[in-house]
């Protein structure tokens, strides 16, 4: 499933690359924002009115500095290989999407049929037996703490493309070519290539065709 770490590409990213210590935010309503006391009006005590401090980013001031909970997790790169190629030494992607790796659920691992289906990374285009659409199975490896994992296509975080070099130092594994193609096909199936029954009934298999 994986390229030998001794010969994997260490100078660039490929779709399906596995990274360590990727920050995934936990948005639970608790967030502290950098602010300042509003001295222009009546200063209330002990809890004064505060004003959010805008922060500049890429020549705009529509950002703020906030503190939220994050979880450092294993992750897998979702962006296409072509988009990850450096141009004149720079990553042109504004952000690199990464899916979180999560342990296999006990409800799956304790069921022989379910775990066999998961490990098979079945072809989602097979409508008779598509397997798990929302997960991509990743076999145990010493660099993955000798545990089985799944890439959860629902849990996605993005890291600015300007952090390409920093992120690259966290690359620990690279999928084989065959498994990378399985990965991208399952990703496409989950995120959008499956049509709903309603869309099929409307004959929208090719939405670019002339409706007349």
């Amino acid at each position: 499933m994986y390229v030998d770490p001794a010969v994997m590409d260490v100078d660039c990213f490929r779709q399906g690359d596995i990274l360590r210590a990727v920050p995934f935010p936990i948005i639970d309503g608790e967030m502290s924002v950098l602010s300042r006391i509003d001295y222009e009006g009546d200063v209330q005590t002990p809890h004064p009115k505060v004003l959010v401090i805008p922060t500049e980013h890429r020549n705009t001031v529509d950002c703020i500095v906030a503190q939220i909970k994050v979880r450092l997790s294993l992750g897998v790169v979702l962006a296409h290989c072509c988009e990850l190629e450096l141009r004149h030494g720079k990553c042109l992607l504004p952000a690199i999407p990464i899916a979180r790796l999560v342990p296999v659920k006990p409800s799956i691992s304790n069921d022989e049929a379910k775990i066999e289906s998961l490990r098979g990374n079945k072809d989602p285009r097979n409508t008779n037996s598509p397997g798990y659409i929302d997960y991509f199975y990743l076999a145990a490896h010493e660099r993955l703490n000798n545990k089985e994992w799944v890439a959860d296509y629902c849990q996605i975080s993005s890291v600015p493309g300007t952090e390409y070099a920093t992120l690259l130092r966290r690359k620990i594994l690279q999928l084989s070519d065959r498994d990378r193609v399985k990965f991208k096909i399952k990703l496409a199936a989950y995120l959008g290539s499956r049509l709903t029954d309603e869309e099929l009934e409307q004959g929208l298999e090719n939405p670019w065709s002339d409706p007349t």
Side-chain angles (χ1 to χ4, degrees):
M1 168 166 269
Y2 310 110
V3 173
D4 184 342
V7 297
M8 73 176 182
D9 298 321
V10 295
D11 298 323
C12 65
F13 277 127
R14 303 295 302 272
Q15 190 174 29
D17 282 352
I18 300 172
L19 315 175
R20 60 176 176 81
V22 179
F24 287 85
I26 301 172
I27 310 297
D28 59 4
E30 294 185 12
M31 181 171 63
S32 299
V33 177
L34 183 64
S35 58
R36 62 178 176 81
I37 296 175
D38 180 14
Y39 284 109
E40 298 298 324
D42 294 331
V43 179
Q44 303 173 1
T45 59
H47 305 295
K49 178 182 178 182
V50 296
L51 299 174
V52 174
I53 300 176
T55 300
E56 183 174 337
H57 178 68
R58 294 183 179 176
N59 300 319
T60 66
V61 290
D62 58 354
C63 297
I64 59 176
V65 176
Q67 290 181 321
I68 61 171
K69 298 176 184 177
V70 298
R71 178 187 288 111
L72 295 180
S73 303
L74 293 165
V76 58
V77 176
L78 297 182
H80 195 278
C81 295
C82 294
E83 295 178 333
L84 291 164
E85 288 184 9
L86 297 179
R87 305 296 197 274
H88 304 292
K90 295 183 178 180
C91 175
L92 299 188
L93 283 176
I96 300 172
I98 302 170
R100 182 173 169 240
L101 268 57
V102 298
V104 179
K105 295 179 179 179
S107 60
I108 297 177
S109 60
N110 295 332
D111 186 303
E112 185 175 346
K114 290 181 179 179
I115 191 63
E116 181 180 353
S117 175
L118 179 72
R119 288 170 175 162
N121 276 332
K122 295 183 177 181
D123 188 343
R125 299 168 297 185
N126 181 351
T127 56
N128 293 324
S129 182
Y132 287 88
I133 303 293
D134 50 344
Y135 293 145
F136 184 84
Y137 171 78
L138 293 163
H141 189 281
E142 60 181 9
R143 293 195 173 189
L144 298 177
N145 302 321
N146 292 313
K147 292 172 54 178
E148 295 178 298
W149 299 83
V150 292
D152 187 345
Y153 292 142
C154 283
Q155 300 190 50
I156 300 175
S157 182
S158 294
V159 176
T162 51
E163 299 298 324
Y164 188 102
T166 300
L167 202 60
L168 188 59
R169 292 197 291 270
R170 302 182 191 176
K171 176 175 174 176
I172 57 174
L173 284 173
Q174 178 177 314
L175 292 179
S176 68
D177 291 347
R178 181 176 297 275
D179 284 287
R180 183 174 61 254
V181 174
K182 290 181 180 180
F183 176 83
K184 68 174 63 184
I185 290 175
K186 291 194 69 174
L187 174 64
Y190 179 71
L191 290 182
S193 67
R194 294 170 295 151
L195 271 64
T196 65
D197 292 340
E198 180 182 0
E199 291 164 343
L200 289 172
E201 290 173 0
Q202 295 180 58
L204 296 176
E205 294 89 342
N206 181 8
W208 287 273
S209 62
D210 189 346
T212 60

